[in-house]
Amino acid sequence: MTPRKPPPATAPVRVRRHLTVRGAVQGVGFRPFVYTLAEEHGLTGWVTNDADGVHTEVEGPAADVDAFTDAIGTRAPPLALVESVEPRAVPLTPDDGGFTIRPSASGPGRTLIPPDTATCDACLAELADPADRRYRHPFITCTHCGPRFTVVTGLPYDRPLTTMAGFPLCADCAREYADPADRRFHAQPIACPRCGPRLSLCRGPDDPGLLRDAEALDEARRLLADGAVLAVKGIGGYHLACDAGDPTAVRTLRKRKNRGDKPFAVLAGSLATAEALAHVDDAERALLTGTRKPIVLLRRTGAAQDVAEGVAPGSPDLGVMLPYTPLHRLLLGLPGDRPGPPVLVMTSGNRSGEPIVTDDAEALTRLVGLADAWLGHDRPIHVPCDDSVARICAGAELPVRRSRGYAPLPLALPLPVVPALAVGGDLKNTFCAADDRYAWLSAHVGDMDDLATLTAFERATGHLTGLTAVTPCLLVADRHPGYRSTQWARRTAEARGIPLRQVQHHHAHVASTMAEHGLDGASPVIGVAFDGTGYGDDGAVWGGEILIADYDGFERFAHLRYVPLPGGDAAVRNPYRMALSHLRAADVPWSDALPCAAIAPPGERRLLERQLERGLNCVPTSSMGRLFDAVSSLAGVCHRVEYEAEAAMRLENAALTGADEGRGADDGREPAYRFILGADPDGPAAPLTADPRPVLAAAAADVLAGVPATAVARRFHRAVTVLVREVCAAARQRTGIATVALTGGVFCNALLTEGCCTGLEADGFTVLRHRKVPPNDGGLALGQLIVAARTKE
């Protein structure tokens, strides 16, 4: 019998598919990734950028096209953020024999620009390799690192729409840029010593800056070693730098910048150097060395010899960052360089209260008198972007300032919103643009107390809404009528003919916590909102609030008992005034043996007593931040402040010192101080009040008895922690709610946050705390947005 021939093999079914990829997919090596992926699967087609994202068409056997489609979202480059992959079938086309990368297209749409990213290990290796053509090049970058957000002038993200447009590629860079197999394929900020940019060093407006590149760097290191203050142009603005180990240089910079005792951040040359300065655990190590490289608040060691005490006076915490640009690495020195300082103070290049300087000509005028020399370069900065600040709290990242490395990455919203712009508050301002289910928080703008900051704010809103293609049909602001951000929003809403909605300050804080945790608002939470100042619905200054809240509204369940805020801002600047107000409310005499009474000038004490008796210029306040100020002065820790929350920060530091010394920790025992939680005298339907008078009386008695300030501070923190647990237990008993949101600037306090989290979780609560946006007013705009702009699905 003749064997039967096998049937002829059938050719696999060929398909062609168009994929639209949205997200942070430009400037991160996404097109070369798609090219390599298509080659891997033997597919033909093309890929391109446009203002909407990345578009690709592939053709080949159906199984290979399916595998390609699956991999495009799961194997994306490390800096990419794939929001969605939308496939659709398209007709087959004649086989063109390969896969191509097409020029970018322009047009309407939305894509996500990635943030500026720290220099990658591969670029750092080339920077230090004498055989590499980019050896010592201060602007080395590739598709995996370098400037992004701060250089983008428009979409799509291609070199002509960045501040690198004025630097034509040399032949070698052009070859790398066009080679899909190269790490710099379509890396828009690509550069080398031949095509620029270039460094220069000058000593003032009249100096032509003839020292360039290597000579400029060598002279910069010499100046720093000799005690000079140097203005250094970075990715998102100028820094002011000096030798962190030189007490005279640190004092000079502090005096010139009129910074008071506010701590400086430092730039350490390596992780080993950072570990010699401060205690670094695994989570802090990961944050220091990751792609974002924020300033990380670390607990100082006693042997930090490379940092003068004047860098962070009176603080056991030190803000440390590692080099995130090649210029930083070169400024600290490579092997063979002239020895320079191993640790540099690195603070924002501005005068106190002003926005960070980005323009070169402006730097030579605004920083005169602050800097001895200017180390600049000719790559323009389009978007100002301060350094981010974070700390590790209870094992998780706690953002304190969300800016470089984070902005403008979007936050997914739990509910869709109309196109809107929320303008935040007046302190630590950030604003928020949003549409549908995504919100874009701006980089840190600053305190809205001068014209330059307002101008920077307005320019930044235009840039971010343009990049995100958000055309606001709604503006959202705080209810405080005196906020400059609110006034700007009102003027702008009237000019554009769009509505303005205003959201209560502490409701916005709670809503921001809910939004970042993805809550849809169907169930309310117990919101513990503690801060310094927020405009209350009754006209008082709120700040010690426990709210039952969802996105639709809130009930004020409890608050700190009101005390007078004597003189408004004068009480904020002089915590002893707040201490005397609290003592009077607690019927505690103003004994000269109490530090807060002793520090007050006799004439001011008499005036303050009459002011409190008559209620003149004494707005009532429930602020927890002001209570921290009062106890700080009462304990003798801080009587006058030179920066926001200084007294509270010093009180936390005293409590931490007390715990380290084993004094005043009171662990495992009932706290020495206790609030009284009771009904508001206004009636049974009114909120509960947390009365701090017993706390003040007990603390005053301790101070008079000679109890150390560290013990007073620790006992006070424990009393606040117990109060939070008691109020939340009372709220759960009445409402059945078992989810608590901790928010407001007071919860930048790691000791308090950790204590509240541990206690509440032991009590069976689900605790929401900030991990993506700051608990302070830097996260306020997100809450404003979700409260005012959401739509009903």
Side-chain angles (χ1 to χ4, degrees), residues 354-727:
E354 295 183 355
I356 190 170
V357 176
T358 57
D359 179 76
D360 298 327
E362 194 176 350
L364 286 170
T365 55
R366 282 177 57 191
L367 301 183
V368 165
L370 277 72
D372 298 305
W374 284 252
L375 181 64
H377 56 76
D378 52 357
R379 181 180 66 201
I381 298 170
H382 189 67
V383 183
C385 201
D386 270 293
D387 292 317
S388 294
V389 182
R391 73 189 311 167
I392 296 298
C393 179
E397 182 177 353
L398 175 67
V400 177
R401 183 168 73 194
R402 184 183 186 272
S403 199
R404 175 191 52 77
Y406 298 79
L409 282 178
L411 296 167
L413 296 175
L415 295 167
V417 298
V418 300
L421 176 67
V423 299
D426 270 16
L427 295 178
K428 297 180 173 63
N429 179 269
T430 62
F431 57 88
C432 183
D435 186 13
D436 195 21
R437 284 184 173 270
Y438 284 91
W440 292 266
L441 276 170
S442 73
H444 172 77
V445 176
D447 296 347
M448 306 279 280
D449 54 4
D450 63 33
L451 180 60
T453 306
L454 284 168
T455 302
F457 168 85
E458 187 159 23
R459 186 166 55 243
T461 59
H463 180 258
L464 187 63
T465 53
L467 280 185
T468 57
V470 173
T471 302
C473 64
L474 172 69
L475 289 176
V476 192
D478 193 90
R479 287 184 184 172
H480 197 303
Y483 272 8
R484 294 172 179 83
S485 54
T486 300
Q487 294 167 357
W488 180 90
R490 183 175 291 112
R491 292 192 304 270
T492 304
E494 290 173 357
R496 298 181 185 178
I498 59 177
L500 169 68
R501 294 180 187 165
Q502 293 175 259
V503 178
Q504 200 280 326
H505 191 89
H506 302 95
H507 186 202
H509 271 310
V510 176
S512 72
T513 322
M514 296 171 62
E516 78 158 78
H517 283 272
L519 273 62
D520 63 7
S523 300
V525 303
I526 303 167
V528 182
F530 288 170
D531 62 5
T533 301
Y535 187 76
D537 286 351
D538 58 359
V541 176
W542 289 8
E545 314 305 312
I546 293 86
L547 310 178
I548 307 299
D550 55 20
Y551 297 133
D552 288 324
F554 68 93
E555 171 196 350
R556 196 182 189 199
F557 178 80
H559 61 84
L560 279 182
R561 181 180 182 271
Y562 285 139
V563 296
L565 183 68
D569 286 346
V572 178
R573 293 190 300 269
N574 300 287
Y576 65 82
R577 294 175 66 95
M578 208 64 237
L580 295 174
S581 178
H582 267 287
L583 288 175
R584 186 177 185 278
D587 294 323
V588 176
W590 292 357
S591 166
D592 287 339
L594 294 173
C596 57
I599 198 70
E604 184 178 357
R605 277 178 57 176
R606 290 191 294 272
L607 289 173
L608 184 59
E609 192 164 15
R610 287 199 294 271
Q611 185 178 10
L612 291 169
E613 285 174 354
R614 299 173 184 177
L616 298 175
N617 194 20
C618 287
V619 177
T621 181
S622 61
S623 168
M624 181 61 79
R626 299 289 81 82
L627 180 58
F628 267 79
D629 289 353
V631 175
S632 185
S633 180
L634 173 61
V637 174
C638 181
H639 303 298
R640 296 182 177 87
V641 300
E642 296 173 315
Y643 57 91
E644 188 198 5
E646 178 182 2
M649 290 168 60
R650 287 180 178 268
L651 190 67
E652 179 191 7
N653 293 337
L656 289 166
T657 302
D660 288 347
E661 295 172 351
R663 296 181 298 173
D666 295 323
D667 290 333
R669 301 194 298 271
E670 283 298 305
Y673 312 148
R674 198 176 192 99
F675 293 80
I676 294 177
L677 186 62
D680 192 298
D682 292 337
L688 296 177
T689 58
D691 191 344
R693 289 180 295 182
V695 173
L696 271 295
D702 274 354
V703 172
L704 291 172
V707 173
T710 53
V712 173
R714 185 71 179 182
R715 291 170 185 174
F716 174 71
H717 277 79
R718 284 184 54 79
V720 177
T721 300
V722 171
L723 171 67
V724 170
R725 295 176 68 177
E726 289 179 343
V727 176

Side-chain angles (χ1 to χ4, degrees), residues 175-199:
R175 174 182 50 76
E176 294 169 336
Y177 183 86
D179 181 0
D182 196 279
R183 195 175 89 252
R184 293 186 170 86
F185 177 70
H186 279 253
Q188 307 310 333
I190 185 175
C192 78
R194 189 183 305 170
C195 50
R198 297 189 66 187
L199 287 178

